[in-house]
Amino acid sequence: MTAKSASEITRSPTTEKEHFDARSRMEELREQIRYHNYHYYVLDDPEITDAEWDTLFQELKELEETHPEFVTPESPTQRVGAPPQEAFGIVEHREPLLSLGNAFDGDELRNWHRRAASLADRTDFALVTEPKIDGLAIALVYENGVLAQAGTRGDGRRGEDVTPNVRTIASAPLRLRGPSPAQFEVRGEVYIPKARFEEMNTERAQRGEPLFANPRNAAAGALRQLDPNVTAVRPLALAIYQLGWAAGTAPSTQWETMAWLREMGFPTTPDADRHLGLEETIVACEAWIPRRDSLPFDMDGVVVKVNEFAIQRQLGIIGREPRWAIAFKFPPSEATTLLTRIGVNVGRTGSLNPYAILEPVHVGGATVKLATLHNEDDIRRKDIREGDTVVVRRAGEVIPQVVGPILSRRPPRRRRWRMPKRCPACHTPVVRPEGEAMAYCVNPTCPAQVQRQLEHFVNRAAMDIDGLGEETIADLLENELITDAADLYRLRKSRKALLSLRGYKEKKVDKLLASIEASKERPLAAVIFALGIRHIGSEVAAILAQHFGHIDAIATARREELAAIDGIGPVIADSVVTWFAGKRNRAVIRKLRRAGIRLEEIGGGAREGPLAGGQFIVTGRLEALTRNQAEAALKRLGGSVGGGVSKKTTALIVGEAPGSKLQRAQELDIPIWDEARLLALLREHRLDPAPSRPLASGSILAALRPRRRI
DNA sequence: GATCCTCGAGTTCG
DNA sequence: CTCGAGGATC
């Protein structure tokens, strides 16, 4: 596409006049396209539609095809098409690209400032802040207003020549508008906007191609392509943040320099700001943290620079870091680490759940050693292998996830991971039902499953037995004091045996036995949930309890009868029938009955109250109540709580710093309540907003005791 | 049969 | 919180 053959030119003979007209029209078009690119990419304020822009671009392209002798390398049409190279050339940076010192909190920023102030002999100098976009540093050299060279950072002094690739970036100006120094260099960041990154990965997933771990890796891969045609189809963007050097006059401050560069057509880092004092600057840096996720690009901190170049020169450089700038770094929400091995856990349902064993790494304020990998397909989709260096994320939430491997760092000859053929706990052959994502151990006496079942049984939402954790359950099973959940109610008789176990003193044993006794009064729904029947969670358990009122009625219900209930279909019906048909399970029910567990619903338990039938969700941090207290209060008023916002939601209760739920509720026109409204409702119905515990027989003193601060 | 909603199950660290 | 899958509905 670069040069047309001579025969093609001679095929369309043109007169001198026509030549001249075409040439000036081409210049005019280039000028117009540059003008509109400037409005689009720099000012973010386009004057014409994309379609109109396309028309201009097409006309220029056609003229250039008929008059290839007038094609200039900086023409807007020349963003694609350079042939692949064998290897990258080297660029020598005239001024080295420096790295930045880091500050991890306000105090470190103050230390930096104190030092700068003492060297500058003044404290009142202005500072400029700008987001530190997580991309790749690039240095662009312009000669006579035309992009001449683009180099990566490399080691700071010499980098790789990626000029043909940078020429394909839509927002990188090939020719500048207005006057500019004869020769100068600007520095910036090449990155991929988050939204475009998601689109790109979605498309790659559809084509079955491996996914990029994050925008930064994708941008690095795109920029270091030997074939610029590949780079051209990747959605790279550019943000300039600094003038490297200039032969000619330039402004005397960072702030003015950025405005000056924008005039020339450079897209500069968005949302930069200027501050007079240090404390104001620290506030500005911290204000970025909550905004972080809603920005169109990944950022890993805020860069703080001394505005005046004269002071910058005075402060100078120490080692490879300037003393006139510093990076205020956010706690990393992402990190790379070595995945040493993939292990497999057995769940309560027998599901085999692979998890990653990681070289411990600090991410999002915690040290991560483990991360779930969900299932075999997920591992295959991300192509995660043992020995891989992987990207680990804890985005906002708590649960770490393995985002994906860094393929360039994969050691040779690593096999794709496969689910073991036998259960890691009991060695029973593994079954993966047709069409399901999970593989299962189908041995009902699998020790791992029994352990998990018991953990579920004592769960707060189930039988709520305090003092019975993972370790204790394991001890009881190991010493054959129990074989199933119902045996817990016979432990009273084994008090002596319990006390003989290492680490079990009277206090601990009696507390355990007491909470086992207390669990006998749990509502029927909790008992049904505790049984751990597949597909029976807390909701379905409540439906069954409500509908049948007694466990025996459920045990004898027929398939059709169950499936006719609202919210229960054939799969759940089958699951219930099968469970109660099991000999071992029937024995458990018998033992529970004999132990005196209440197996029927008392007092109806029907939901009533001012909010009966309503469905509520709490988001954000409330003032007077914890989220749990608020949810409990809603339930006491007769409402149900939880789930995602949908059109069935009655109202959303919003506190400080609400999440995405608020936005969704607004979209769906769901009523928004504040905490005061909930509190008012509680007062109206004379309910304690936050009962500290069930009060001991209504003691007035107990009620007057100050509640614990939350 | 497709689509939307809801529920179930597993989950990490301190 | 997230994914997968069951249930309801058209």
Side-chain angles (χ1 to χ4, degrees), chain A residues 436-437 567 569 571-572:
Chain A
E436 280 197 41
V571 178
I572 293 180

Coordinates of all heavy atoms in Angstrom, one line a residue, chain A residues 436-437 567 569 571-572, chain C residues 1 4-8:
Chain A
E436 N -22.1 -30.6 32.6 CA -21.8 -29.8 33.8 C -20.4 -29.4 33.9 O -19.5 -30.0 33.4 CB -22.2 -30.7 35.0 CG -23.7 -30.6 35.3 CD -24.0 -31.1 36.7 OE1 -23.3 -30.7 37.7 OE2 -25.0 -31.8 36.9
A437 N -20.2 -28.3 34.6 CA -18.9 -27.7 34.6 C -18.1 -28.4 35.8 O -16.8 -28.4 35.7 CB -19.0 -26.2 34.9
G567 N -41.5 -22.3 42.9 CA -40.1 -22.2 43.3 C -39.3 -23.5 43.3 O -38.1 -23.6 43.4
G569 N -38.8 -27.1 41.1 CA -39.0 -27.7 39.8 C -38.6 -29.2 39.8 O -38.3 -29.7 40.9
V571 N -35.8 -30.8 39.1 CA -34.5 -31.1 39.6 C -34.4 -31.1 41.1 O -33.9 -32.1 41.7 CB -33.4 -30.1 39.0 CG1 -32.1 -30.4 39.5 CG2 -33.5 -30.2 37.5
I572 N -35.0 -30.1 41.7 CA -35.0 -30.0 43.1 C -35.9 -31.1 43.7 O -35.5 -31.7 44.7 CB -35.5 -28.6 43.6 CG1 -34.4 -27.5 43.2 CG2 -35.7 -28.6 45.1 CD1 -34.8 -26.1 43.6
Chain C
dC1 P -20.5 -7.4 46.4 OP1 -21.0 -6.1 46.0 OP2 -21.4 -8.5 46.5 O5' -19.3 -7.8 45.4 C5' -18.1 -8.4 46.0 C4' -17.6 -9.5 45.1 O4' -17.8 -10.7 45.9 C3' -18.4 -9.7 43.8 O3' -17.5 -10.0 42.8 C2' -19.3 -10.9 44.1 C1' -18.5 -11.7 45.1 N1 -19.4 -12.5 46.0 C2 -19.2 -13.9 46.0 O2 -18.4 -14.4 45.3 N3 -20.0 -14.6 46.8 C4 -20.9 -14.0 47.6 N4 -21.7 -14.8 48.4 C5 -21.1 -12.6 47.6 C6 -20.3 -11.9 46.8
dG4 P -19.0 -20.5 34.9 OP1 -17.8 -21.3 34.4 OP2 -19.6 -19.5 34.0 O5' -20.1 -21.5 35.4 C5' -19.8 -22.3 36.6 C4' -21.1 -22.9 37.0 O4' -21.9 -22.0 37.7 C3' -22.0 -23.5 35.8 O3' -22.4 -24.7 36.2 C2' -23.1 -22.4 35.8 C1' -23.2 -22.0 37.2 N9 -23.8 -20.6 37.4 C8 -23.5 -19.5 36.7 N7 -24.1 -18.4 37.2 C5 -24.9 -18.9 38.2 C6 -25.8 -18.3 39.1 O6 -26.1 -17.1 39.1 N1 -26.3 -19.1 40.0 C2 -26.0 -20.5 40.1 N2 -26.7 -21.2 41.0 N3 -25.2 -21.1 39.3 C4 -24.7 -20.3 38.4
dA5 P -23.2 -25.6 35.2 OP1 -22.6 -27.0 35.3 OP2 -23.3 -25.0 33.9 O5' -24.6 -25.7 35.8 C5' -24.8 -25.9 37.2 C4' -26.2 -25.6 37.6 O4' -26.4 -24.2 37.8 C3' -27.2 -26.1 36.6 O3' -28.4 -26.5 37.3 C2' -27.5 -24.8 35.8 C1' -27.5 -23.9 37.0 N9 -27.4 -22.5 36.6 C8 -26.7 -21.9 35.6 N7 -26.8 -20.6 35.6 C5 -27.7 -20.3 36.6 C6 -28.2 -19.1 37.1 N6 -27.9 -17.9 36.5 N1 -29.0 -19.1 38.1 C2 -29.3 -20.3 38.7 N3 -28.9 -21.5 38.3 C4 -28.0 -21.4 37.3
dG6 P -29.3 -27.6 36.9 OP1 -28.7 -28.8 37.5 OP2 -29.5 -27.5 35.4 O5' -30.6 -27.2 37.6 C5' -30.6 -27.0 39.0 C4' -31.8 -26.1 39.4 O4' -31.5 -24.8 39.0 C3' -33.0 -26.6 38.8 O3' -34.1 -26.5 39.7 C2' -33.2 -25.6 37.6 C1' -32.6 -24.3 38.2 N9 -32.0 -23.4 37.2 C8 -31.1 -23.7 36.2 N7 -30.7 -22.7 35.6 C5 -31.3 -21.6 36.1 C6 -31.3 -20.2 35.8 O6 -30.6 -19.7 34.9 N1 -32.1 -19.5 36.6 C2 -32.9 -20.0 37.7 N2 -33.6 -19.2 38.3 N3 -32.9 -21.3 38.0 C4 -32.1 -22.0 37.2
dG7 P -35.5 -26.9 39.4 OP1 -36.1 -27.4 40.7 OP2 -35.6 -27.7 38.2 O5' -36.2 -25.4 39.1 C5' -36.1 -24.5 40.1 C4' -37.1 -23.3 39.8 O4' -36.4 -22.4 38.9 C3' -38.4 -23.7 39.1 O3' -39.3 -22.8 39.7 C2' -38.1 -23.5 37.6 C1' -37.1 -22.3 37.7 N9 -36.2 -22.2 36.6 C8 -35.4 -23.2 36.0 N7 -34.6 -22.7 35.1 C5 -34.8 -21.4 35.1 C6 -34.2 -20.4 34.3 O6 -33.4 -20.5 33.4 N1 -34.7 -19.1 34.5 C2 -35.7 -18.8 35.5 N2 -36.1 -17.6 35.6 N3 -36.3 -19.8 36.2 C4 -35.8 -21.0 36.0
dA8 P -40.8 -22.9 39.2 OP1 -41.6 -22.7 40.4 OP2 -41.1 -24.1 38.4 O5' -40.9 -21.6 38.3 C5' -40.6 -20.3 38.9 C4' -40.9 -19.2 37.9 O4' -39.9 -19.2 36.9 C3' -42.3 -19.4 37.2 O3' -42.9 -18.1 37.1 C2' -41.9 -19.9 35.8 C1' -40.5 -19.3 35.6 N9 -39.6 -20.1 34.8 C8 -39.4 -21.4 34.8 N7 -38.5 -21.9 34.0 C5 -38.0 -20.7 33.4 C6 -37.0 -20.5 32.4 N6 -36.3 -21.4 31.9 N1 -36.8 -19.2 32.1 C2 -37.5 -18.2 32.6 N3 -38.5 -18.3 33.5 C4 -38.7 -19.6 33.9

